[in-house]
Structures are given as C-alpha cells and as structure tokens.
Amino acid sequence: MSADPTPGAVTQPAPPEISPDAAAAIAREHWGIVATARTLGSHQDRNFLLESDDGPRLLLKVANPSVSAAELEAQSAAAALLSERAGCRAPRARAFPDGTTALRLEIDGVVMHARVLEFLEGATLSGHLSRPVVEEMGSLAARTALALSDLDAPEAERVHQWDLRHARAVLDELLPFVADPALRERLADVAASAWSAVEEVAAELPVQFIHGDLTDDNVVTGDPVTRIPDGVIDLGDLNRTWTVGELAITVSSLLHHDGVDLAHALRAVTAYDRVRPLTDAEAAVLWPLLVVRAATLVASAHHVLETDPGNDYAAGNLDHELAILDAATAVPLEVARALVAVATGRAADPLPLPPGQPLLPWLAGEDVAVADFSPTSPVLHEGRWLEDSVEADVMSGCLGSARVAVARFGEARLTRSRLHDPEEPCNVALGVELRVDGPQPVAAPWAGTVATTPHGVLLRSGEIDLVLGGVRSALRDGSVVDAGELVGEVEGTLWVQVLKAGVQAPRFVPRSLAAAWRAVVADAGELVPGHPDSPQEPRAEQLLARREAVYADVQEHYFPEPPVMVRGWREHLVDADGRVYLDTLNNVTSIGHAHPRLVAAVAEQWSLLNTNSRFHYASVVEFSERLAELVPDPLDTVFLVNSGSEAVDLALRLGQAWSGRTDVLSVEEAYHGWTYLSDAVSTSVADNPAALETRPAWVHTVPAPHPLRGRHRDEPGRYAADAVAEIERLAAAGSAPGAFIAETLFGNGGGVALPEGYLAAVYGAVRAHGGLAIADEVQVGYGRLGEWFWGFEQQGVVPDVVAVAKAMDNGHPLGAVITTREIAERYRAGGYFFSSAGGSPVSSVVGLTVLDVIRDERLQENARDVGGYLKGRLEELGERHPLIGVVHGSGFYLGPELVRDRVTGEPATTETALICARLRDLGVIAQPTGDHQNILKIKPPMCFTRASADALADALDRVLTTGW
Ligand SMILES: Cc1ncc(COP(=O)(O)O)c(C=O)c1O
C-alpha cells in the first residue's frame, strides 16, 4: 500500500475563479479556437464549454492547481486508450505540435494547467436506470479496466482523495467537517468495519491505472431513448490504485437512482465479471470498498461545502450521496458480500446449524402441522391471503389436528404480499414460526449464555445466536445453561431464528436478498421435528431453459426474464416468489382470475359429466339460448367451438358457403387467428412481419380505417368510400368478396374506434354483391367496451355473422359463431360440422357461469365506470407527459398511444417496450400492441377496481417522470 496522504493533498484548495470571457480568451490565444465559453460545474476544476458556429463543441478544462502536467498528460493518454480499446467514446485532448496536451497558465499568481478536450455530446445518466443501462455500466467499467491495464505513467501516480487505498486517512481528515454528530459517528462506524474487511485482503488486490470516477455523472449516452451509455468523460481522478475500486465506484453511483435496489445494481457486477472476472479477493472486497466510497462521498461533500460554500454542484449531490450510503449499508456487510458472491457465480455458503439437543423436547414429528403460506397454498384460495388475520387463523386452524403449527423457514409467504405494491415484497421467512397450544417448556439446543433482548430470549453459544421470540424466561441475563437445560416456556407464538453471533436480521426479507442472508442466518427448521424441508427456490431461469428446449419457440413469452406465475386472483397475478402483479392485459379472464363461482361450477360439472354435443344435455341448450338472446334479430342460431380462431374460421366458411365464392375482404393491421382461414385474413405486420406479402390470392385488403393515422387521417370518413370502391372494383373484376371481416373496434390496433358509418357503408356494399358481413367480436365484444355489449352496436349495425371467444370463457377454450338460421342452413347443405369439445357440458357451464357473473357483478357497468375513470386519468397524464399522444378506446379496452412527436405521430416503439419492462418491475403487467407496437393494450379483467386504475396510472406516471 502506498504512503498515506498529506492533509494538503487530500483537501485540495478551491481553484481561482475564471470568468467565461477569460476562458474564451485562453482558448483563442493558445489553441486558436474562436468560441464562446460557458461555465460548467465541477468539484475541483474550472470547466468551460466552448461553442462556435462552425466547429464541434469543445471543453476547456483548467485543472485544479494541485494537479501536475504529468497527471494531465496521463489523462490524455488514458482517453486515447479508451476510445481505441474500450468500445466507447472518450474525450481525447487536442495535442500541441510537440505532442503534449497541457498548457501551463498562471492565474492570480496560481499555476494551473489547461487542456482542450473533445466535448462528448449526449446526456449523463439520471432518473431510473434500466437493466441494460445498469449492465452496460458494469461492462464499461470492466472494459475501461482492461483498456488501461498497461498504461504506464509513473510520474502521474499521486496521493489523491478518491483513491480508495487512502480512504481511511482521507476519512480521518474529512470527518471533522461533518457537523452532525450522529452522521459523523455513523460514517466512522460503517467505514471502520468496512475498512477492516478491506485490510484482510488488501495485499492480494491487483493494482493498475483506473478511471477513478466512472459514475453515472461521468458517462454519456448518445441515445436519448435507451440511454445506454456509450461515452466516458472526466478522467480527472485517473490514478494507479486497486483495479476493483473502479467497480465499487461505478456500482455506488447507481444506488441513488429511482428503482435501483441492491439486486438491480448487482447486475452491473455480473456484467463486469463477465468481461473481466473478479479475483476472489476482489469479490470479497468489492462491497466493503463501496461502503468506504459512500462514506467518503458524504464526508467530502460536507468538506467541500465548508471550504467552497458556493459550490452548488456539491450541495446538489449531497442527497444522492446520503441515498448511496443508505443503500450500501442497508444489509450487513457479510450479506452484501454474499450478494456479490452470488452475482459473480460463486457459491454463497449458508451458515450451518450446529447439531444439538431438541428445542422442544416434548414434541414429536407427528404432532406438527404445517401452516402453508406459500404462493400455491390451498388454504389461501379465494383471496384469503389478503385478510389481515390470515396467518393467525391458519395457524389456529392447524392446532385442531396437532399440538404445534409450524410456518416454514425460507418460505416466501404470500400472506405478506400486498396488492398494488411497486416494491418486491419482504416475505421470505428467515426463521421458523410456531404456534403452541398451552404453556410448554423450551430447552437450549446448545450450551450458552442467556440474555433478554427486544427480539426475545437470546442464547449465545460460541459463534451462534439463537433468538427465541415469545419465550418467557426466569433466567437472569448472563445465566449459563447446558445443552438440553430449560430456558423458559412458551404459550402461543414462538419465533425461532439462528444467526451468526452479533448479527441482527429481520424476520422477513425480499426473495432477491434471501440467499445472501443465509450467509448469516442458519435454517432453524431442523430444530423442529416434523419441519418439512424449506421450499425449493423457484428457478425461473431453469424453467425457461426447459421451456426453450421442449416448447416450440414461435410460441413466444412476455418479457425476456419472465416471472413464473403460479396464481391469479381477480385482476392480479402472483409469481412463485409471492410477488403480486396488476394484470392490465388479460381480457380473456373477463370475470377475473380464479373466480370462485366458476371454479365451483366447473368442478361440479367435471364431477358429473363431460362429453360432446352429439349427446343431449341441458347446458348446451341453455347456453346457446343465452347467447342468442344477447344479439339482435335476425341473429338466432349458435355454433359452439373452442377458440376465437375456430370461430373466425367457421364464420369465413359460412360466408363462402353462403355466397358460393372464396374471395374475402379484410382490413389491414388486423389479427383474426391462426387457423388456415383466420390466418389468411390476418394482416397485422406486428403479429406476422410477412403478413402482407403472404396473403393467398383470395384475400383482398383495404387500408386500416384509422381515424388518426394513414392516408385519410384528416378526413376519416373517406376510408369507407375507398373500401366501397374496392368492393365495386373487385366485383367488376369478377371476384366480389363472399365475406367482409373486421373487428368492430380496432382491438388489435389499440382500441381505436372505426370512423362513424364505416361498417354501415362497407356491410351495405358487400351485401349488395351477395356477401356476408362478419363481425370479429373476439377481443372487443362481451361488455368490455362498457357503453356497448358488442362493438357493432357502437357502429349502429347488425352483422350477418358474429365470431366471439375470449371474454366468454374466462380462459377455458370456448368460442362461438352466432348467425341466422338461413345462413346456418346454407352451410349445412354443403358442409359438415362437429367439434369434439365445442359445446361440451363443461364448456357450456363455463359459458353460462361467465354470463351470470357479468350480469350479477355488473361487470359491463364496471367497465363503463372504472374504464371511464381510468381513461380520464390516462388523459390527464397526457397533459403532463407529451409522450402520450392520445388515449384510444372505451371501457376496459383502452390504448394510450405513445408518440415521439404529436404532430407527425412518430411512434415511440422502443420507449413503449422499455416502459412495459419498467412497469413490470413496478408490479404492473402491460404490453404493447398495434402495427408500430407503440400502444399500451389496456384490457384488464372486468372486475378491475378504481384502486387498480389508480395504481396503473400512478405507476405509468412514475415511469414517465423518472424514466425507463
Ligand atoms: C380479434 C381477434 N380475433 C380472433 C382471435 C383468435 O382467437 P384465439 O386466440 O382464441 O384463437 C384473436 C386472438 O387474439 C383476436 O384478437
């Protein structure tokens, strides 16, 4: 380790003031640059932006007087290496003819050196940092280390405040400037313990020149949408020191950003390790260095404000620096070190439980009943997990059949999760909870010393602490007990936690930190006979790999790292870790996930009978009657199938049978299904990029009648005239369409209403030539629009054939075609129809129950009222966030369209994808739709509440405000 710094080197003097005019004059005189100069903020230098009409923007950097010319030349060399080797932009310095880059200046009797650097256009990082941004920060830090690994500039080595090797001495010097004694003491404490961890391996740490301040403020991004950093600036802290210090500095700078928690920030460590694998010593020391860095940042800010009170830059940063300190010390150092170990693919060894005597000597395994609070627990059905008293009730319930109820160690308790929570739930138990009927003795598993703490009786045994919450003990503090000796008695709840001595752990932690906490928390389950093994951690990545190996990958999945969903309840989804997501997407689940009435009706029907509709039974009749009642005259005849695709397929066959012609007209940007016929009329290039080129010859298309886009955006009424003209043209050419198919409101296009009168005109023209008008109500029909049960009502028309599915089945495979008796008869004359499961007793009961629930729970009215409220909230967001161009739709079929420019309507496609990714992190499932994938398709279960509408709007507001 190099010598400790002198005080003067640590606390640099404030440089003399330089006016922008003086800076401009320096640039002109010495570099021949004619430009205006604008002051930029800096901790210790004087920086100026040079702007001229003809050249690129440049930076005049007048270094602090304490910085030597040699150091500046090293910085210039480092910038050149970075731009050559690190795959990023870097501020190369303008060289004088002799190859040097630094100019000696004397200002107010003070000698300083100035350089002119390339100014890297782009923004530094602010607001939320997405996963790719965080990962790129880690990768950039690694590439920087590799690029500078052979930089050799001995005369540029120096003792320097931000060199983590000197952090201890630096802190000793800076801490007196922290006026608040509590903060000062906290800084001293956290730094002291971190520093001792650093010292353990300091001698093994590789050393080289590093950037020294590769932070959110010192990278730039040229891409304002993804904000992936692609440039490194400000090499003013370049120094030869511990290589790993760079990563500690980089990661610390991420920790104050909105939505960047420890697990998120650690992605930078994983990304770094992939490019430049950390040594074991480096991995061990990373977090301690990060803590030391955080403490130094806070102390230094106080120091700068004392010596340079006008330094707004330092004042503005102080909140961030305190946030970094809080995050860096949010978990004990050993837990943070375990997090780093896991992030870099190292095994994190859990604390072992020493063998001992029984804790509850009177208890046998068969006397124990498990209280299952896991996300798949059968006792938590029907939303019971949301009841405040559920844990106590379930525990008490278990006591009916056992002496003790036990809630497992390591279980992610769904009972701890809440709706609309933007954070990961704090739900993984770091101890065992028992409920004991009647007073019972508790014994010491190991010999040790007893103490009373606010958390319960503590038995310290060598390196292990046993915490027994809820135990009454007559022993005095300091009493020594033998293994097997009684420590007290318990009645009611007993909480058992086994920890590394001296560590305090919460009872519950988030899943992302649970494995790391095991470094200091042992599995207490083994102390309880009959305690089942801790539930296996759900491994989303492994399941995904298995899916990819066996399941055709054209069957895509949402999100690159999808959560494993295990439960649904109303408009909420629950993953295997008990995280609850607001489901804004599942229009199929019209009455809500896991609806108890549907569950009961299906179970009953399965128990009675399920067969095909060639048998005679009541439900298929009743359901068909109910469907026929829902549509206007003359529609009165029903076919039952298993999906929307089948319904559309059959509808098209009806059209072909009716007209005797195969030609069909459909609209662009549409999706109608995947069977041969329904796929043939699907034209959306978002669903199938080749859709328009690969249509069979019998499919004819007309442009999407989009009132806000396309060729008639200023006069949407003309779309109908064009479509009628096309029908006439086709008829004249001998291929009059036998059917016209369209969604009655552009669901696939994001809930966009068709221009007024569009369907009336087109239906009229197609019928005039003997064709049928087919309404695809698969997405938009069945009450979702609020105001109307069917989309065709909004257009004031009655189609000849209605295809319906999705909402009618709540996720069970079910679809229907409703038409006239005459059309159905014409089809019978030339064709055949049988569907093994279509209209089965179970499917029919599903259909009937869904209709009953929609009626009894007034879900269409709810779609109108809450959907209207949500649309209002989204429109209000649009007044503050220009990205929301317009909010389409009605009821629970809404489509906020995201645009870069409201005048041109340029779609914000990448933004929409990134916004969906961030929403998911905030517990909201949303996805893009439309040919430009720039519309959020908001079509939730129809039981969606006002609170859920607020949660969705608030989350979107947060993303649009703090970034994606
Ligand atoms: C408008 C429309 N029609 C038909 C279908 C096909 O329905 P299914 O997926 O049930 O086959 C879909 C499915 O997304 C749809 O959105």
Side-chain angles (χ1 to χ4, degrees):
M1 225 192 267
S2 53
D4 276 348
T6 61
V10 171
T11 56
Q12 288 157 349
E17 290 294 341
I18 302 173
S19 71
D21 285 349
I26 293 168
R28 194 167 48 245
E29 184 182 337
H30 300 284
W31 281 273
I33 297 166
V34 181
T36 57
R38 186 147 55 88
T39 308
L40 300 175
S42 164
H43 240 329
Q44 54 202 17
D45 301 333
R46 298 293 181 217
N47 290 342
F48 301 91
L49 181 64
L50 302 176
E51 291 174 300
S52 61
D53 289 341
D54 43 3
R57 302 205 287 178
L58 297 167
L59 185 72
L60 176 70
K61 205 168 173 60
V62 185
N64 190 282
S66 61
V67 183
S68 70
E71 290 167 48
L72 295 174
E73 294 303 348
Q75 291 172 25
S76 301
L81 287 174
L82 287 181
S83 64
E84 280 161 27
R85 299 173 171 178
C88 65
R89 297 180 289 150
R92 283 171 306 178
R94 286 261 173 114
F96 293 109
D98 65 356
T100 61
T101 59
L103 170 77
R104 185 179 188 279
L105 289 173
E106 199 168 323
I107 298 172
D108 300 340
V110 180
V111 173
M112 303 167 82
H113 290 88
R115 288 175 306 149
V116 167
L117 310 176
E118 288 172 357
F119 180 78
L120 298 199
E121 298 293 345
T124 57
L125 299 182
S126 59
H128 176 70
L129 307 178
S130 67
R131 293 171 194 212
V133 169
V134 166
E135 285 171 358
E136 183 59 13
M137 285 298 286
S139 167
L140 204 48
R143 285 169 5 234
T144 300
L146 293 179
L148 301 184
S149 60
D150 56 356
L151 177 63
D152 185 24
E155 66 290 5
E157 289 183 33
R158 59 187 168 136
V159 172
H160 146 343
Q161 162 168 353
W162 300 111
D163 182 345
L164 286 166
R165 285 179 306 173
H166 307 308
R168 188 188 190 140
V170 169
L171 271 167
D172 284 348
E173 193 170 328
L174 295 179
L175 281 176
F177 292 94
V178 181
D180 173 3
L183 178 61
R184 194 169 57 238
E185 200 177 319
R186 178 176 169 212
L187 292 172
D189 282 356
V190 296
S193 47
W195 191 254
S196 60
V198 172
E199 280 180 326
E200 277 173 31
V201 291
E204 298 167 44
L205 295 175
V207 170
Q208 65 163 78
F209 271 95
I210 66 168
H211 177 287
D213 197 19
L214 190 61
T215 64
D216 53 348
D217 284 334
N218 284 336
V219 295
V220 290
T221 168
D223 182 343
V225 176
T226 65
R227 300 184 309 130
I228 306 263
D230 63 349
V232 171
I233 56 174
D234 194 356
L235 286 122
D237 293 311
L238 182 84
N239 202 11
R240 201 174 124 81
T241 178
W242 292 321
T243 314
V244 68
E246 192 82 274
L247 182 58
I249 289 165
T250 302
V251 176
S252 68
S253 80
L254 310 177
L255 291 173
H256 68 86
H257 287 263
D258 186 64
V260 178
D261 56 18
L262 293 186
H264 194 69
L266 279 155
R267 292 171 186 275
V269 177
T270 306
Y272 181 103
D273 190 63
R274 253 185 243 128
V275 178
R276 179 189 172 272
L278 292 172
T279 66
D280 287 347
E282 288 180 321
V285 94
L286 175 64
W287 210 268
L289 282 177
L290 191 150
V291 170
V292 168
R293 162 80 176 181
T296 313
L297 283 171
V298 174
S300 169
H302 282 89
H303 167 255
V304 172
L305 290 172
E306 286 282 326
T307 53
D308 185 9
N311 196 325
D312 298 339
Y313 182 75
N317 274 346
L318 189 55
D319 280 351
H320 290 171
E321 287 158 354
L322 285 166
I324 292 170
L325 181 72
D326 287 344
T329 55
V331 296
L333 212 45
E334 282 164 288
V335 175
R337 290 169 81 169
L339 281 170
V340 172
V342 173
T344 54
R346 293 175 162 79
D349 294 330
L351 185 69
L353 187 84
Q357 300 292 318
L359 177 74
L360 306 170
W362 44 272
L363 187 67
E366 58 272 21
D367 294 334
V368 173
V370 173
D372 184 353
F373 298 137
S374 71
T376 51
S377 167
V379 296
L380 301 181
H381 290 344
E382 300 192 11
R384 208 175 156 205
W385 48 284
L386 291 164
E387 290 167 13
D388 287 340
S389 61
V390 61
E391 289 187 357
D393 294 347
V394 171
M395 287 289 229
S396 305
C398 288
L399 286 185
S401 59
R403 291 180 80 186
V404 164
V406 59
R408 289 172 290 207
F409 178 88
E411 179 168 273
R413 290 194 189 176
L414 179 57
T415 45
R416 301 265 148 173
S417 304
R418 284 291 158 265
L419 306 182
H420 307 140
D421 188 351
E423 309 285 333
E424 187 186 6
C426 207
N427 63 351
V428 178
L430 289 187
V432 180
E433 188 175 341
L434 300 109
R435 194 162 169 95
V436 179
D437 205 6
Q440 294 288 359
V442 178
W446 316 286
T449 313
V450 173
T452 319
T453 75
H455 310 291
V457 172
L458 185 146
L459 175 73
R460 177 157 298 171
S461 176
E463 288 297 299
I464 291 286
D465 280 351
L466 170 66
V467 179
L468 298 167
V471 166
R472 283 187 306 270
S473 177
L475 297 174
R476 256 183 283 129
D477 280 8
S479 307
V480 175
V481 292
D482 272 339
E485 206 177 307
L486 294 191
V487 288
E489 74 173 15
V490 65
E491 180 170 13
T493 300
L494 170 61
W495 175 261
V496 185
Q497 196 169 43
V498 180
L499 302 151
K500 184 165 178 184
V503 170
Q504 288 202 355
R507 290 185 171 185
F508 296 91
V509 295
R511 168 61 85 203
S512 61
L513 304 184
W517 271 102
R518 293 294 314 280
V520 292
V521 179
D523 183 346
E526 289 168 37
L527 291 173
V528 181
H531 182 280
D533 281 348
S534 305
Q536 282 293 308
E537 290 208 3
R539 304 299 286 262
E541 324 79 58
Q542 285 169 8
L543 188 61
L544 189 60
R546 282 167 53 196
R547 173 181 169 127
E548 279 160 6
V550 68
Y551 194 58
D553 78 2
V554 68
Q555 303 169 95
E556 294 172 358
H557 53 81
Y558 298 130
F559 306 113
E561 296 172 49
V564 178
M565 295 304 184
V566 297
R567 183 185 282 277
W569 174 240
R570 294 180 55 88
E571 70 268 39
H572 309 280
L573 290 166
V574 177
D575 76 12
D577 295 328
R579 174 109 206 233
V580 181
Y581 298 88
L582 180 62
D583 178 3
T584 73
L585 198 61
N586 267 292
N587 56 334
V588 177
T589 327
S590 53
I591 62 172
H593 296 281
H595 197 291
R597 266 177 86 175
L598 189 58
V599 174
V602 169
E604 179 62 17
Q605 187 58 50
W606 266 113
S607 307
L608 283 172
L609 171 73
N610 200 26
T611 181
N612 69 66
S613 65
R614 285 191 172 159
F615 288 95
H616 188 43
Y617 46 87
S619 56
V620 72
V621 180
E622 288 166 12
F623 182 41
S624 301
E625 286 170 352
R626 291 279 292 276
L627 284 174
E629 280 163 21
L630 290 169
V631 286
D633 289 340
L635 303 172
D636 60 1
T637 304
V638 172
F639 293 81
L640 291 177
V641 291
N642 307 291
S643 68
S645 300
E646 287 178 54
V648 167
D649 202 293
L650 177 58
L652 292 169
R653 283 166 203 267
L654 295 182
Q656 290 172 339
W658 176 260
S659 63
R661 296 192 301 269
T662 50
D663 292 275
V664 173
L665 187 68
S666 73
V667 297
E668 285 167 15
E669 294 186 36
Y671 177 77
H672 293 293
W674 66 268
T675 61
Y676 180 69
L677 290 187
S678 60
D679 172 67
V681 293
S682 294
T683 51
S684 161
V685 291
D687 292 310
N688 171 10
L692 290 176
E693 300 98 72
T694 54
R695 293 313 84 212
W698 51 269
V699 174
H700 311 279
T701 61
V702 286
H706 197 308
L708 299 172
R709 273 197 276 114
R711 70 166 86 139
H712 296 319
R713 57 185 292 188
D714 298 326
E715 220 184 322
R718 292 185 54 195
Y719 283 113
D722 281 6
V724 171
E726 177 63 7
I727 292 167
E728 298 303 337
R729 191 191 67 76
L730 288 168
S735 36
F740 166 73
I741 182 165
E743 281 195 277
T744 49
L745 182 135
F746 236 133
N748 201 51
V752 182
L754 302 177
E756 213 183 309
Y758 182 82
L759 287 185
V762 183
Y763 282 8
V766 81
R767 282 170 179 154
H769 291 284
L772 290 187
I774 302 172
D776 182 342
E777 294 280 354
V778 170
Q779 286 236 87
V780 298
Y782 238 65
R784 167 165 301 282
L785 298 176
E787 202 70 30
W788 310 279
F789 191 86
W790 301 108
F792 60 73
E793 292 169 43
Q794 190 262 353
Q795 284 275 305
V797 293
V798 177
D800 304 308
V801 183
V802 179
V804 53
K806 296 200 194 239
M808 75 192 300
D809 59 38
N810 213 51
H812 181 89
L814 177 57
V817 171
I818 317 172
T819 185
T820 65
R821 174 75 30 192
E822 200 186 353
I823 293 170
E825 290 303 328
R826 182 88 59 96
Y827 179 74
R828 184 181 178 91
Y832 161 85
F833 183 79
F834 170 68
S835 167
S836 296
S840 72
V842 167
S843 291
S844 299
V845 162
V846 167
L848 282 166
T849 310
V850 167
L851 278 174
D852 288 347
V853 171
I854 291 177
R855 178 197 60 213
D856 296 348
E857 296 183 11
R858 301 176 58 77
L859 295 184
Q860 185 182 346
E861 291 80 348
N862 192 55
R864 183 191 59 212
D865 300 343
V866 176
Y869 171 74
L870 177 57
K871 185 167 186 179
R873 283 225 50 194
L874 296 172
E875 284 173 337
E876 187 277 326
L877 290 186
E879 287 164 22
R880 290 184 285 118
H881 300 291
L883 199 70
I884 298 185
V886 59
V887 182
H888 303 292
S890 75
F892 282 145
Y893 209 115
L894 299 177
E897 179 160 354
L898 308 187
V899 291
R900 291 185 181 158
D901 181 324
R902 285 187 178 175
V903 177
T904 63
E906 184 192 352
T909 305
T910 311
E911 291 87 334
T912 309
L914 293 168
I915 287 168
C916 289
R918 174 101 206 268
L919 282 172
R920 174 243 160 118
D921 289 345
L922 294 174
V924 175
I925 302 284
Q927 284 292 303
T929 190
D931 260 14
H932 302 284
Q933 294 287 287
N934 69 322
I935 302 174
L936 295 176
K937 51 175 160 190
I938 297 178
K939 46 190 182 86
M942 283 156 61
C943 53
F944 207 70
T945 60
R946 207 170 241 261
S948 289
D950 282 330
L952 167 59
D954 291 348
L956 188 56
D957 192 12
R958 177 165 166 190
V959 175
L960 294 173
T961 305
T962 63
W964 47 84

